Amino acid sequence: MSDARRTLPGVSALLELDDVRRLLAANQRSVVVNAIRAAVAEARADISAAEIDNWGSRITAHVQSMNVRSLRPVINATGVVLHTNLGRAPLADAAIDAVCQVASGFTNLEYDLTTGKRGSRYVHCVALLRELTGAEDAIVVNNCASALVLALSAIARGRDVIVSRGELVEIGGSFRVPDIMGRSGANLVEVGTTNRTHLDDYTRAITSRTGAIAKIHRSNFALSGFVAEVSVRSLAPFAREHSIPIIHDRGSGLLIDLSSYGLRGEATARDALNEGADLVLMSGDKLLGGPQCGIVLGKRHSLDILRRDPFARAMRVDKMTIAALTATLELYRDPEISLTEIPALAMLTSSAESIRLRCSSMASDLAQRGITARVVESEASVGAGAFPTTPIPSFALAFDAADIGATERKFRLGQTPVIGRIADGVMLLDLRSVLPREDALLLKAIEAAIA
Ligand SMILES: *Cc1c(COP(=O)(O)O)cnc(C)c1O
C-alpha cells in the first residue's frame, strides 16, 4: 500500500468536518456514514485522489445522489401520450384522491360490510365495468399480459389454443405473445400465414383437444397490402357451434368512441363484446387512462373459472389500483367529463390550435428570458400500441443548438427531467403530451437547461 493511501482519513475524523456536521443535521446518520464510506472508497481507488482536501464537497455530492430517488416525475414532451417507458397514463385528479383515501388507512378490500364476513377484492369494480361495457362480469388483475396468461390458464390449460400467425406479435419490452401464451400451460396452435389467415384455417385446426381460439390485437404494427384476417364476428358463429370460447386480447381499453377526434378503427370494449368473444381483455393504463391493470370482461361462468385459477391469486391487484380504477371508471359515466378529466383523453382530444397557443405563449415567456424557441408543427401519437398509424396533429417548441446531443442531455438530466425528441438536428418539445398544469414547471426546466 502506498503512503498516500495509508493517509486516507477515517470515518470518525470525517464526521467531525463542518460540512459533514451540516449534513448530519439534515439527513439520516446512516446516509451520511455511507456517503463518507463511498467518498473514501472512491479516493482509495484513485491514488492521486488520496491527497484531496475537498472531502466536504465530495461527501455532500454522495449524500445528494443518495437522496435522489430512482423513480421520479419527468415531463413527457415526446408527443407520445401513452409512453410505456414513461409510465403510460397519468391519473385523473379523482383517481389520485381515491388512492390517497384508501392508502392512508384500512379498507373493506376483502370484507363484506353487509354480512360482516370475508368478502372478495374482485367485486369492487365489477358493477361499474358492467355498466360501462355491457359485460356480464369482470375481473381486474395486474396488467393485460397477466390477464392473457390467466385467461388461457383457466380456460385452456393442457389444451390447444388456436391463434393466427399474423397475431403472434412482439408488443415492446419483452412481451412476445407466443412466449406469454406458452407460459399459460396452453398449447399454441398456429394457423394461417403472417399476412393472411382465413376462416378455413381455423376450422381445419379444430380437434377434440381445442380449448380456445385467441384473437390478439396487433397493437403497435399494422398489416397492409395483400392481407386477410378473420374478425371475431366471423369466427363467433363457428366457435359457438363447436362450444369453443374466443379469448380476445384488445390491448388498449377504449371505452368511448374517439372517431370524431380522428382516432378511428378501434372497437370500444362494448363493441368488442358484442362481436361475440367470450372474454375481452384490455389494459387499464392505455386508452382507458387509469392505473396499470388488466381487465377481463365476459360471461359470468367464464369469469368464475378465472377467479378460481391459482394465477388469479398471483396476479391480484392491490387496493390502490382498485381505488384508482373505480374513480377513473366513474368519470366515464359522463363521456364529456371523461374527455376533460382523464388526462390521457384530454391530451389526445385537445385541438391542435390549443397546443399551438400554449407553445407560442411559452415561446414568448422564454423570449423575455433571452431564450429562443421556435413554434413548429409536430406529429404526436397515442402510444402503447394504440392507433399505431394515426398521427395526431400537434405543435412543439423547437430549440436549435450546435451540439444538439448535449442539449438533449441537459434536458434529460435536469432537476425535473424533460424528455423530448431530436428531429433533423433540432430539439423538439411537443406539448400535446405535457400536462397543462406542468407548463410553468417546464418553463423553469427549459431555462435551467438552456441557460
Ligand atoms: C399492450 C398490450 C398488452 C400488454 O398489456 P400490459 O397491460 O402492458 O400488460 C397485451 N396485449 C395487447 C394486444 C397489447 O396491446
Side-chain angles (χ1 to χ4, degrees):
M1 196 187 267
S2 75
D3 288 343
R5 287 204 216 184
R6 205 172 294 131
T7 60
L8 282 172
V11 172
S12 48
L14 291 169
L15 278 167
E16 298 305 318
L17 294 177
D18 283 347
D19 281 353
V20 176
R21 283 171 186 277
R22 272 192 290 279
L23 288 172
L24 282 168
N27 293 275
Q28 284 150 330
R29 189 181 169 86
S30 66
V31 170
V32 179
V33 170
N34 283 336
I36 291 174
R37 292 206 176 106
V40 172
E42 201 175 64
R44 186 171 294 124
D46 175 6
I47 295 175
S48 61
E51 286 150 44
I52 53 176
D53 50 8
N54 58 343
W55 284 104
S57 55
R58 283 173 172 253
I59 294 165
T60 304
H62 279 285
V63 168
Q64 276 165 356
S65 80
M66 286 167 76
N67 283 339
V68 173
R69 289 194 180 145
S70 172
L71 179 66
R72 54 199 176 117
V74 306
I75 292 180
N76 174 10
T78 60
V80 181
V81 172
L82 297 167
H83 200 301
T84 298
N85 301 151
L86 303 183
R88 293 197 187 147
L91 291 180
D93 288 344
I96 296 164
D97 290 346
V99 169
C100 291
Q101 269 181 29
V102 301
S104 53
F106 297 102
T107 63
N108 59 336
L109 181 64
E110 288 190 351
Y111 183 81
D112 186 329
L113 292 171
T114 325
T115 62
K117 298 208 168 82
R118 189 199 162 106
S120 161
R121 75 177 60 217
Y122 298 116
V123 303
H124 300 290
C125 308
V126 172
L128 267 167
L129 286 167
R130 290 174 54 178
E131 176 186 325
L132 296 168
T133 67
E136 211 175 274
D137 200 355
I139 184 174
V140 181
V141 291
N142 263 323
N143 49 32
C144 193
S146 47
L148 181 58
V149 174
L150 173 62
L152 290 170
S153 165
I155 303 289
R157 174 168 286 271
R159 312 191 67 192
D160 291 350
V161 176
I162 304 174
V163 63
S164 160
R165 290 196 172 87
E167 296 169 15
L168 293 175
V169 294
E170 177 174 305
I171 303 173
S174 65
F175 182 144
R176 287 187 163 179
V177 167
D179 297 349
I180 295 261
M181 292 180 71
R183 279 300 166 103
S184 68
N187 175 41
L188 217 60
V189 174
E190 303 173 16
V191 298
T193 60
T194 305
N195 57 330
R196 288 171 72 85
T197 303
H198 307 280
L199 189 57
D200 300 358
D201 293 319
Y202 288 96
T203 52
R204 272 185 281 130
I206 296 270
T207 68
S208 57
R209 293 184 309 277
T210 307
I213 295 173
K215 279 289 289 176
I216 315 285
H217 191 282
R218 260 182 226 107
S219 293
N220 45 16
F221 93 111
L223 275 181
S224 64
F226 187 56
V227 298
E229 75 168 301
V230 188
S231 67
V232 171
R233 201 179 284 288
S234 320
L235 273 174
F238 148 79
R240 214 171 297 126
E241 190 184 310
H242 291 82
S243 304
I244 296 169
I246 300 177
I247 298 171
H248 191 183
D249 178 4
R250 297 280 324 153
S252 211
L254 185 63
L255 292 189
I256 53 172
D257 182 22
L258 296 176
S259 55
S260 57
Y261 299 94
L263 298 170
R264 294 189 188 86
E266 279 289 325
T268 62
R270 186 182 288 275
D271 293 341
L273 281 165
N274 287 338
E275 285 168 10
D278 294 74
L279 294 175
V280 168
L281 282 44
M282 60 194 195
S283 282
D285 56 352
K286 294 187 180 174
L287 278 170
L288 197 146
Q292 178 192 304
C293 61
I295 299 167
V296 186
L297 305 169
K299 293 267 186 284
R300 177 148 316 122
H301 69 88
S302 304
L303 269 298
D304 279 338
I305 303 171
L306 265 63
R307 274 186 288 264
R308 282 200 301 270
D309 192 279
F311 271 139
R313 171 63 179 81
M315 295 162 175
R316 75 182 189 186
V317 278
D318 73 326
K319 60 183 179 180
M320 291 188 279
T321 304
I322 293 172
L325 180 62
T326 304
T328 307
L329 291 171
E330 280 166 357
L331 297 170
Y332 279 101
R333 285 175 157 161
D334 183 340
E336 289 297 315
I337 287 185
S338 71
L339 291 179
T340 54
E341 292 294 312
I342 297 176
L345 294 187
M347 287 171 168
L348 290 170
T349 60
S350 48
S351 68
E353 178 58 12
S354 69
I355 312 277
R356 191 187 65 77
L357 287 174
R358 279 169 64 202
C359 284
S360 47
S361 138
M362 210 175 280
S364 53
D365 285 344
L366 288 168
Q368 280 171 16
R369 294 162 166 84
I371 295 168
T372 308
R374 291 177 291 122
V375 177
V376 300
E377 284 188 25
S378 169
E379 273 187 4
S381 60
V382 178
F387 301 99
T389 55
T390 310
I392 307 174
S394 188
F395 284 89
L397 292 170
F399 299 89
D400 302 294
D403 184 350
I404 203 67
T407 303
E408 187 274 338
R409 267 194 304 283
K410 279 204 185 126
F411 275 113
R412 180 159 44 84
L413 299 174
Q415 195 179 10
T416 303
V418 177
I419 318 298
R421 65 180 200 272
I422 296 175
D424 301 326
V426 175
M427 180 78 199
L428 295 179
L429 303 181
D430 189 322
L431 292 199
R432 185 173 286 279
S433 54
V434 176
L435 295 160
R437 66 171 154 76
E438 291 174 333
D439 281 1
L441 190 62
L442 176 58
L443 202 64
K444 280 213 193 90
I446 293 172
E447 260 191 282
I450 300 282

